[in-house]
mmCIF file of all heavy atoms in Angstrom:
data_model
loop_
_atom_site.group_PDB
_atom_site.id
_atom_site.type_symbol
_atom_site.label_atom_id
_atom_site.label_comp_id
_atom_site.label_asym_id
_atom_site.label_seq_id
_atom_site.Cartn_x
_atom_site.Cartn_y
_atom_site.Cartn_z
ATOM 1 N N PRO A 1207 -17.918 18.603 22.082
ATOM 2 C CA PRO A 1207 -18.336 18.929 20.717
ATOM 3 C C PRO A 1207 -19.823 19.220 20.608
ATOM 4 O O PRO A 1207 -20.623 18.710 21.409
ATOM 5 C CB PRO A 1207 -17.995 17.658 19.941
ATOM 6 C CG PRO A 1207 -17.975 16.563 20.931
ATOM 7 C CD PRO A 1207 -17.740 17.160 22.291
ATOM 8 N N PHE A 1208 -20.162 20.002 19.601
ATOM 9 C CA PHE A 1208 -21.571 20.277 19.334
ATOM 10 C C PHE A 1208 -22.311 18.956 19.052
ATOM 11 O O PHE A 1208 -21.784 18.078 18.385
ATOM 12 C CB PHE A 1208 -21.701 21.206 18.117
ATOM 13 C CG PHE A 1208 -23.120 21.369 17.655
ATOM 14 C CD1 PHE A 1208 -23.973 22.235 18.320
ATOM 15 C CD2 PHE A 1208 -23.610 20.613 16.601
ATOM 16 C CE1 PHE A 1208 -25.296 22.358 17.920
ATOM 17 C CE2 PHE A 1208 -24.928 20.729 16.193
ATOM 18 C CZ PHE A 1208 -25.774 21.605 16.855
ATOM 19 N N GLY A 1209 -23.490 18.843 19.579
ATOM 20 C CA GLY A 1209 -24.337 17.685 19.292
ATOM 21 C C GLY A 1209 -24.069 16.486 20.162
ATOM 22 O O GLY A 1209 -24.649 15.422 19.949
ATOM 23 N N CYS A 1210 -23.192 16.643 21.159
ATOM 24 C CA CYS A 1210 -22.797 15.480 21.958
ATOM 25 C C CYS A 1210 -23.512 15.500 23.308
ATOM 26 O O CYS A 1210 -22.937 15.919 24.316
ATOM 27 C CB CYS A 1210 -21.284 15.491 22.135
ATOM 28 S SG CYS A 1210 -20.698 14.033 22.993
ATOM 29 N N LEU A 1211 -24.731 15.034 23.323
ATOM 30 C CA LEU A 1211 -25.498 15.030 24.567
ATOM 31 C C LEU A 1211 -24.847 14.161 25.650
ATOM 32 O O LEU A 1211 -24.702 14.601 26.793
ATOM 33 C CB LEU A 1211 -26.937 14.569 24.293
ATOM 34 C CG LEU A 1211 -27.837 14.522 25.523
ATOM 35 C CD1 LEU A 1211 -28.034 15.903 26.114
ATOM 36 C CD2 LEU A 1211 -29.191 13.894 25.178
ATOM 37 N N PRO A 1212 -24.395 12.916 25.318
ATOM 38 C CA PRO A 1212 -23.842 12.077 26.382
ATOM 39 C C PRO A 1212 -22.700 12.740 27.143
ATOM 40 O O PRO A 1212 -22.633 12.663 28.371
ATOM 41 C CB PRO A 1212 -23.332 10.826 25.657
ATOM 42 C CG PRO A 1212 -23.764 10.913 24.262
ATOM 43 C CD PRO A 1212 -24.406 12.226 24.014
ATOM 44 N N ASN A 1213 -21.803 13.394 26.395
ATOM 45 C CA ASN A 1213 -20.658 13.978 27.102
ATOM 46 C C ASN A 1213 -20.992 15.301 27.789
ATOM 47 O O ASN A 1213 -20.253 15.739 28.669
ATOM 48 C CB ASN A 1213 -19.472 14.127 26.140
ATOM 49 C CG ASN A 1213 -18.874 12.766 25.842
ATOM 50 O OD1 ASN A 1213 -18.832 11.900 26.714
ATOM 51 N ND2 ASN A 1213 -18.456 12.549 24.616
ATOM 52 N N HIS A 1214 -22.110 15.905 27.423
ATOM 53 C CA HIS A 1214 -22.557 17.055 28.212
ATOM 54 C C HIS A 1214 -23.050 16.565 29.570
ATOM 55 O O HIS A 1214 -22.841 17.206 30.590
ATOM 56 C CB HIS A 1214 -23.665 17.823 27.483
ATOM 57 C CG HIS A 1214 -23.121 18.840 26.518
ATOM 58 N ND1 HIS A 1214 -22.524 18.492 25.338
ATOM 59 C CD2 HIS A 1214 -23.058 20.195 26.580
ATOM 60 C CE1 HIS A 1214 -22.109 19.588 24.706
ATOM 61 N NE2 HIS A 1214 -22.432 20.623 25.444
ATOM 62 N N VAL A 1215 -23.676 15.384 29.568
ATOM 63 C CA VAL A 1215 -24.167 14.816 30.830
ATOM 64 C C VAL A 1215 -22.988 14.358 31.695
ATOM 65 O O VAL A 1215 -22.898 14.687 32.880
ATOM 66 C CB VAL A 1215 -25.135 13.633 30.553
ATOM 67 C CG1 VAL A 1215 -25.542 12.938 31.842
ATOM 68 C CG2 VAL A 1215 -26.358 14.112 29.790
ATOM 69 N N CYS A 1216 -22.064 13.586 31.064
ATOM 70 C CA CYS A 1216 -20.966 12.993 31.845
ATOM 71 C C CYS A 1216 -19.806 13.958 32.063
ATOM 72 O O CYS A 1216 -18.917 13.677 32.868
ATOM 73 C CB CYS A 1216 -20.426 11.748 31.138
ATOM 74 S SG CYS A 1216 -21.717 10.580 30.754
ATOM 75 N N GLY A 1217 -19.772 15.067 31.346
ATOM 76 C CA GLY A 1217 -18.718 16.067 31.522
ATOM 77 C C GLY A 1217 -19.256 17.248 32.306
ATOM 78 O O GLY A 1217 -19.090 17.341 33.525
ATOM 79 N N LYS A 1218 -19.995 18.123 31.602
ATOM 80 C CA LYS A 1218 -20.548 19.313 32.261
ATOM 81 C C LYS A 1218 -21.430 18.935 33.452
ATOM 82 O O LYS A 1218 -21.409 19.575 34.488
ATOM 83 C CB LYS A 1218 -21.400 20.092 31.260
ATOM 84 C CG LYS A 1218 -20.720 21.330 30.719
ATOM 85 C CD LYS A 1218 -21.703 22.114 29.876
ATOM 86 C CE LYS A 1218 -20.963 23.059 28.964
ATOM 87 N NZ LYS A 1218 -21.760 23.596 27.896
ATOM 88 N N GLY A 1219 -22.190 17.855 33.251
ATOM 89 C CA GLY A 1219 -23.179 17.472 34.261
ATOM 90 C C GLY A 1219 -22.600 17.066 35.602
ATOM 91 O O GLY A 1219 -23.311 17.082 36.610
ATOM 92 N N VAL A 1220 -21.323 16.665 35.648
ATOM 93 C CA VAL A 1220 -20.758 16.203 36.931
ATOM 94 C C VAL A 1220 -19.765 17.202 37.540
ATOM 95 O O VAL A 1220 -19.211 16.956 38.607
ATOM 96 C CB VAL A 1220 -20.047 14.829 36.765
ATOM 97 C CG1 VAL A 1220 -21.016 13.751 36.321
ATOM 98 C CG2 VAL A 1220 -18.873 14.916 35.804
ATOM 99 N N MET A 1221 -19.566 18.314 36.855
ATOM 100 C CA MET A 1221 -18.543 19.253 37.342
ATOM 101 C C MET A 1221 -18.834 19.774 38.746
ATOM 102 O O MET A 1221 -17.946 19.907 39.580
ATOM 103 C CB MET A 1221 -18.419 20.434 36.375
ATOM 104 C CG MET A 1221 -17.661 20.063 35.129
ATOM 105 S SD MET A 1221 -17.635 21.420 33.990
ATOM 106 C CE MET A 1221 -17.023 20.583 32.555
ATOM 107 N N LYS A 1222 -20.114 20.054 38.994
ATOM 108 C CA LYS A 1222 -20.489 20.586 40.316
ATOM 109 C C LYS A 1222 -20.148 19.565 41.401
ATOM 110 O O LYS A 1222 -19.601 19.899 42.447
ATOM 111 C CB LYS A 1222 -21.996 20.894 40.304
ATOM 112 C CG LYS A 1222 -22.410 21.874 41.360
ATOM 113 C CD LYS A 1222 -23.827 22.298 41.135
ATOM 114 C CE LYS A 1222 -24.362 22.923 42.416
ATOM 115 N NZ LYS A 1222 -25.802 22.993 42.427
ATOM 116 N N LYS A 1223 -20.471 18.306 41.110
ATOM 117 C CA LYS A 1223 -20.212 17.235 42.080
ATOM 118 C C LYS A 1223 -18.699 17.080 42.310
ATOM 119 O O LYS A 1223 -18.241 16.949 43.457
ATOM 120 C CB LYS A 1223 -20.817 15.928 41.525
ATOM 121 C CG LYS A 1223 -20.575 14.719 42.372
ATOM 122 C CD LYS A 1223 -21.522 14.618 43.538
ATOM 123 C CE LYS A 1223 -21.266 13.349 44.333
ATOM 124 N NZ LYS A 1223 -21.974 13.296 45.581
ATOM 125 N N ILE A 1224 -17.927 17.133 41.223
ATOM 126 C CA ILE A 1224 -16.465 16.993 41.367
ATOM 127 C C ILE A 1224 -15.915 18.148 42.204
ATOM 128 O O ILE A 1224 -15.085 17.956 43.091
ATOM 129 C CB ILE A 1224 -15.773 16.925 39.980
ATOM 130 C CG1 ILE A 1224 -16.149 15.611 39.287
ATOM 131 C CG2 ILE A 1224 -14.262 17.041 40.106
ATOM 132 C CD1 ILE A 1224 -15.606 15.439 37.883
ATOM 133 N N LYS A 1225 -16.444 19.351 41.947
ATOM 134 C CA LYS A 1225 -15.953 20.504 42.713
ATOM 135 C C LYS A 1225 -16.344 20.403 44.180
ATOM 136 O O LYS A 1225 -15.648 20.913 45.051
ATOM 137 C CB LYS A 1225 -16.482 21.802 42.095
ATOM 138 C CG LYS A 1225 -15.734 22.180 40.823
ATOM 139 C CD LYS A 1225 -16.246 23.477 40.249
ATOM 140 C CE LYS A 1225 -15.713 23.684 38.850
ATOM 141 N NZ LYS A 1225 -16.373 24.762 38.138
ATOM 142 N N SER A 1226 -17.470 19.721 44.454
ATOM 143 C CA SER A 1226 -17.853 19.581 45.865
ATOM 144 C C SER A 1226 -16.921 18.584 46.569
ATOM 145 O O SER A 1226 -16.673 18.689 47.763
ATOM 146 C CB SER A 1226 -19.323 19.144 45.994
ATOM 147 O OG SER A 1226 -19.456 17.790 45.632
ATOM 148 N N ILE A 1227 -16.382 17.633 45.818
ATOM 149 C CA ILE A 1227 -15.432 16.675 46.410
ATOM 150 C C ILE A 1227 -14.024 17.279 46.447
ATOM 151 O O ILE A 1227 -13.284 17.121 47.406
ATOM 152 C CB ILE A 1227 -15.422 15.351 45.587
ATOM 153 C CG1 ILE A 1227 -16.812 14.715 45.598
ATOM 154 C CG2 ILE A 1227 -14.392 14.370 46.137
ATOM 155 C CD1 ILE A 1227 -16.994 13.569 44.604
ATOM 156 N N HIS A 1228 -13.669 17.986 45.371
ATOM 157 C CA HIS A 1228 -12.339 18.621 45.266
ATOM 158 C C HIS A 1228 -12.548 20.122 45.059
ATOM 159 O O HIS A 1228 -12.605 20.594 43.913
ATOM 160 C CB HIS A 1228 -11.571 18.061 44.065
ATOM 161 C CG HIS A 1228 -11.233 16.614 44.183
ATOM 162 N ND1 HIS A 1228 -10.303 16.126 45.082
ATOM 163 C CD2 HIS A 1228 -11.680 15.533 43.499
ATOM 164 C CE1 HIS A 1228 -10.203 14.814 44.946
ATOM 165 N NE2 HIS A 1228 -11.034 14.431 44.001
ATOM 166 N N PRO A 1229 -12.678 20.898 46.142
ATOM 167 C CA PRO A 1229 -12.963 22.334 45.979
ATOM 168 C C PRO A 1229 -11.906 23.082 45.165
ATOM 169 O O PRO A 1229 -12.168 24.158 44.634
ATOM 170 C CB PRO A 1229 -13.001 22.847 47.425
ATOM 171 C CG PRO A 1229 -13.212 21.637 48.268
ATOM 172 C CD PRO A 1229 -12.605 20.480 47.540
ATOM 173 N N ASN A 1230 -10.685 22.517 45.082
ATOM 174 C CA ASN A 1230 -9.627 23.212 44.318
ATOM 175 C C ASN A 1230 -9.693 22.926 42.812
ATOM 176 O O ASN A 1230 -8.881 23.436 42.044
ATOM 177 C CB ASN A 1230 -8.233 22.844 44.858
ATOM 178 C CG ASN A 1230 -8.012 21.338 44.855
ATOM 179 O OD1 ASN A 1230 -8.978 20.578 44.729
ATOM 180 N ND2 ASN A 1230 -6.779 20.905 44.999
ATOM 181 N N ALA A 1231 -10.658 22.109 42.385
ATOM 182 C CA ALA A 1231 -10.768 21.807 40.943
ATOM 183 C C ALA A 1231 -11.187 23.058 40.179
ATOM 184 O O ALA A 1231 -12.111 23.764 40.588
ATOM 185 C CB ALA A 1231 -11.775 20.688 40.722
ATOM 186 N N ASN A 1232 -10.464 23.327 39.098
ATOM 187 C CA ASN A 1232 -10.711 24.530 38.285
ATOM 188 C C ASN A 1232 -11.021 24.035 36.865
ATOM 189 O O ASN A 1232 -10.128 23.877 36.045
ATOM 190 C CB ASN A 1232 -9.433 25.398 38.353
ATOM 191 C CG ASN A 1232 -9.478 26.627 37.466
ATOM 192 O OD1 ASN A 1232 -10.553 27.119 37.128
ATOM 193 N ND2 ASN A 1232 -8.309 27.116 37.072
ATOM 194 N N ILE A 1233 -12.293 23.736 36.624
ATOM 195 C CA ILE A 1233 -12.658 23.067 35.360
ATOM 196 C C ILE A 1233 -13.410 24.026 34.441
ATOM 197 O O ILE A 1233 -14.317 24.728 34.882
ATOM 198 C CB ILE A 1233 -13.568 21.838 35.628
ATOM 199 C CG1 ILE A 1233 -12.972 20.952 36.746
ATOM 200 C CG2 ILE A 1233 -13.751 21.006 34.364
ATOM 201 C CD1 ILE A 1233 -13.877 19.814 37.186
ATOM 202 N N VAL A 1234 -13.033 24.009 33.176
ATOM 203 C CA VAL A 1234 -13.780 24.817 32.207
ATOM 204 C C VAL A 1234 -14.223 23.904 31.049
ATOM 205 O O VAL A 1234 -13.445 23.103 30.551
ATOM 206 C CB VAL A 1234 -12.930 26.018 31.707
ATOM 207 C CG1 VAL A 1234 -11.664 25.573 30.982
ATOM 208 C CG2 VAL A 1234 -13.732 26.911 30.785
ATOM 209 N N ALA A 1235 -15.497 24.014 30.699
ATOM 210 C CA ALA A 1235 -16.001 23.246 29.546
ATOM 211 C C ALA A 1235 -15.931 24.146 28.325
ATOM 212 O O ALA A 1235 -16.413 25.281 28.349
ATOM 213 C CB ALA A 1235 -17.440 22.817 29.806
ATOM 214 N N ILE A 1236 -15.309 23.654 27.280
ATOM 215 C CA ILE A 1236 -15.186 24.445 26.048
ATOM 216 C C ILE A 1236 -15.967 23.751 24.933
ATOM 217 O O ILE A 1236 -15.771 22.560 24.683
ATOM 218 C CB ILE A 1236 -13.699 24.596 25.622
ATOM 219 C CG1 ILE A 1236 -12.860 25.244 26.741
ATOM 220 C CG2 ILE A 1236 -13.578 25.401 24.328
ATOM 221 C CD1 ILE A 1236 -13.184 26.684 27.056
ATOM 222 N N ASP A 1237 -16.844 24.514 24.300
ATOM 223 C CA ASP A 1237 -17.654 23.949 23.210
ATOM 224 C C ASP A 1237 -16.922 24.083 21.881
ATOM 225 O O ASP A 1237 -16.344 25.133 21.586
ATOM 226 C CB ASP A 1237 -18.999 24.691 23.117
ATOM 227 C CG ASP A 1237 -19.863 24.405 24.337
ATOM 228 O OD1 ASP A 1237 -19.826 23.257 24.810
ATOM 229 O OD2 ASP A 1237 -20.537 25.333 24.819
ATOM 230 N N TYR A 1238 -16.962 23.013 21.123
ATOM 231 C CA TYR A 1238 -16.359 23.042 19.785
ATOM 232 C C TYR A 1238 -17.448 22.785 18.755
ATOM 233 O O TYR A 1238 -18.137 21.758 18.816
ATOM 234 C CB TYR A 1238 -15.249 21.981 19.670
ATOM 235 C CG TYR A 1238 -14.052 22.340 20.519
ATOM 236 C CD1 TYR A 1238 -13.954 21.892 21.836
ATOM 237 C CD2 TYR A 1238 -13.060 23.182 20.022
ATOM 238 C CE1 TYR A 1238 -12.878 22.263 22.634
ATOM 239 C CE2 TYR A 1238 -11.980 23.557 20.807
ATOM 240 C CZ TYR A 1238 -11.891 23.091 22.113
ATOM 241 O OH TYR A 1238 -10.836 23.475 22.896
ATOM 242 N N ASP A 1239 -17.650 23.712 17.859
ATOM 243 C CA ASP A 1239 -18.631 23.544 16.786
ATOM 244 C C ASP A 1239 -18.233 24.454 15.625
ATOM 245 O O ASP A 1239 -17.341 25.290 15.771
ATOM 246 C CB ASP A 1239 -20.052 23.824 17.295
ATOM 247 C CG ASP A 1239 -20.284 25.277 17.641
ATOM 248 O OD1 ASP A 1239 -20.299 26.115 16.723
ATOM 249 O OD2 ASP A 1239 -20.447 25.581 18.839
ATOM 250 N N PRO A 1240 -18.863 24.289 14.463
ATOM 251 C CA PRO A 1240 -18.393 25.043 13.288
ATOM 252 C C PRO A 1240 -18.481 26.551 13.462
ATOM 253 O O PRO A 1240 -17.742 27.289 12.832
ATOM 254 C CB PRO A 1240 -19.329 24.592 12.162
ATOM 255 C CG PRO A 1240 -20.073 23.430 12.658
ATOM 256 C CD PRO A 1240 -19.999 23.411 14.136
ATOM 257 N N SER A 1241 -19.380 27.024 14.335
ATOM 258 C CA SER A 1241 -19.529 28.471 14.438
ATOM 259 C C SER A 1241 -18.783 29.070 15.633
ATOM 260 O O SER A 1241 -18.680 30.284 15.746
ATOM 261 C CB SER A 1241 -21.016 28.839 14.534
ATOM 262 O OG SER A 1241 -21.568 28.182 15.647
ATOM 263 N N ALA A 1242 -18.254 28.212 16.531
ATOM 264 C CA ALA A 1242 -17.542 28.747 17.702
ATOM 265 C C ALA A 1242 -16.202 29.313 17.237
ATOM 266 O O ALA A 1242 -15.460 28.654 16.524
ATOM 267 C CB ALA A 1242 -17.308 27.636 18.715
ATOM 268 N N THR A 1243 -15.886 30.544 17.653
ATOM 269 C CA THR A 1243 -14.625 31.122 17.180
ATOM 270 C C THR A 1243 -13.486 30.706 18.108
ATOM 271 O O THR A 1243 -13.665 30.553 19.317
ATOM 272 C CB THR A 1243 -14.677 32.660 17.111
ATOM 273 O OG1 THR A 1243 -14.784 33.139 18.447
ATOM 274 C CG2 THR A 1243 -15.846 33.148 16.270
ATOM 275 N N LYS A 1244 -12.321 30.560 17.487
ATOM 276 C CA LYS A 1244 -11.115 30.170 18.211
ATOM 277 C C LYS A 1244 -10.823 31.202 19.311
ATOM 278 O O LYS A 1244 -10.428 30.863 20.418
ATOM 279 C CB LYS A 1244 -9.965 30.111 17.201
ATOM 280 C CG LYS A 1244 -8.768 29.363 17.680
ATOM 281 C CD LYS A 1244 -7.773 29.175 16.555
ATOM 282 C CE LYS A 1244 -6.573 28.454 17.116
ATOM 283 N NZ LYS A 1244 -5.315 28.878 16.649
ATOM 284 N N VAL A 1245 -11.058 32.491 18.969
ATOM 285 C CA VAL A 1245 -10.767 33.562 19.934
ATOM 286 C C VAL A 1245 -11.619 33.391 21.187
ATOM 287 O O VAL A 1245 -11.123 33.510 22.317
ATOM 288 C CB VAL A 1245 -11.054 34.945 19.280
ATOM 289 C CG1 VAL A 1245 -10.838 36.075 20.266
ATOM 290 C CG2 VAL A 1245 -10.199 35.116 18.054
ATOM 291 N N ASN A 1246 -12.895 33.091 21.004
ATOM 292 C CA ASN A 1246 -13.766 32.899 22.171
ATOM 293 C C ASN A 1246 -13.303 31.723 23.012
ATOM 294 O O ASN A 1246 -13.280 31.797 24.244
ATOM 295 C CB ASN A 1246 -15.204 32.613 21.705
ATOM 296 C CG ASN A 1246 -15.980 33.892 21.531
ATOM 297 O OD1 ASN A 1246 -15.543 34.945 21.990
ATOM 298 N ND2 ASN A 1246 -17.118 33.798 20.863
ATOM 299 N N GLN A 1247 -12.951 30.624 22.338
ATOM 300 C CA GLN A 1247 -12.488 29.441 23.072
ATOM 301 C C GLN A 1247 -11.229 29.784 23.855
ATOM 302 O O GLN A 1247 -11.109 29.462 25.043
ATOM 303 C CB GLN A 1247 -12.195 28.291 22.086
ATOM 304 C CG GLN A 1247 -13.439 27.719 21.442
ATOM 305 C CD GLN A 1247 -13.138 26.949 20.169
ATOM 306 O OE1 GLN A 1247 -12.036 27.010 19.621
ATOM 307 N NE2 GLN A 1247 -14.129 26.224 19.678
ATOM 308 N N GLU A 1248 -10.290 30.479 23.188
ATOM 309 C CA GLU A 1248 -9.017 30.773 23.855
ATOM 310 C C GLU A 1248 -9.205 31.777 24.994
ATOM 311 O O GLU A 1248 -8.524 31.694 26.014
ATOM 312 C CB GLU A 1248 -8.010 31.285 22.815
ATOM 313 C CG GLU A 1248 -7.618 30.155 21.864
ATOM 314 C CD GLU A 1248 -6.578 30.529 20.819
ATOM 315 O OE1 GLU A 1248 -6.238 31.726 20.696
ATOM 316 O OE2 GLU A 1248 -6.120 29.611 20.126
#
Side-chain angles (χ1 to χ4, degrees):
F1208 171 80
C1210 184
L1211 180 64
N1213 287 324
H1214 274 72
V1215 174
C1216 307
K1218 257 187 199 165
V1220 298
M1221 284 176 192
K1222 201 170 162 197
K1223 177 80 178 170
I1224 292 177
K1225 284 181 192 168
S1226 73
I1227 299 169
H1228 295 290
N1230 56 344
N1232 175 24
I1233 312 173
V1234 62
I1236 303 293
D1237 292 323
Y1238 291 91
D1239 68 68
S1241 58
T1243 67
K1244 197 171 178 219
V1245 177
N1246 271 346
Q1247 291 161 348
E1248 291 182 352

